[in-house]
Amino acid sequence: MILREGDVIRTSYSTGPYRIRQLTAEGRRLHLLCEDLRPGVGRATAYLNDFEQQPDGTWQRAGSTDQLFFIERPAPRPGTQFDLFEQ
């Protein structure tokens, strides 16, 4: 699955949910700056680094069994660029 800003994800090691605020690619590795959505945490920032997309479409941390799991993609706001491309 292709991840994009705004997506909500969690990890295989029971953290999250997180909303992706920024994606940075470095070669095949993806680095995520996220907003922690757990109740009572406030607007804490979380950094999820060094994830690579696997042949089956999943995202796994390089050299580890840690994975990212997609939870939801918010609907695009009308008139946004994503909305225009979805038509």
Side-chain angles (χ1 to χ4, degrees), residues 49-67:
N49 296 311
D50 297 326
F51 283 88
E52 296 179 339
Q53 190 167 27
Q54 303 302 301
D56 64 359
T58 60
W59 290 92
Q60 185 170 331
R61 188 185 306 270
S64 174
T65 58
D66 296 344
Q67 292 184 317

Side-chain angles (χ1 to χ4, degrees), residues 1-10 18-25 30-35 37 48 51 53 57 59 68-87:
M1 153 147 298
I2 300 295
L3 296 175
R4 68 181 187 203
E5 290 178 9
D7 286 352
V8 177
I9 59 172
R10 68 175 180 84
Y18 302 107
R19 183 174 313 282
I20 300 172
R21 291 295 178 207
Q22 183 179 353
L23 299 143
T24 306
L30 189 65
H31 308 290
L32 308 171
L33 173 69
C34 300
E35 176 186 351
L37 300 177
L48 303 173
F51 283 88
Q53 190 167 27
W59 290 92
L68 296 178
F69 297 114
F70 175 81
I71 296 176
E72 70 179 20
R73 175 165 290 152
R77 294 184 318 268
T80 63
Q81 195 171 27
F82 287 125
D83 184 49
L84 296 174
F85 286 115
E86 298 280 333
Q87 295 178 12

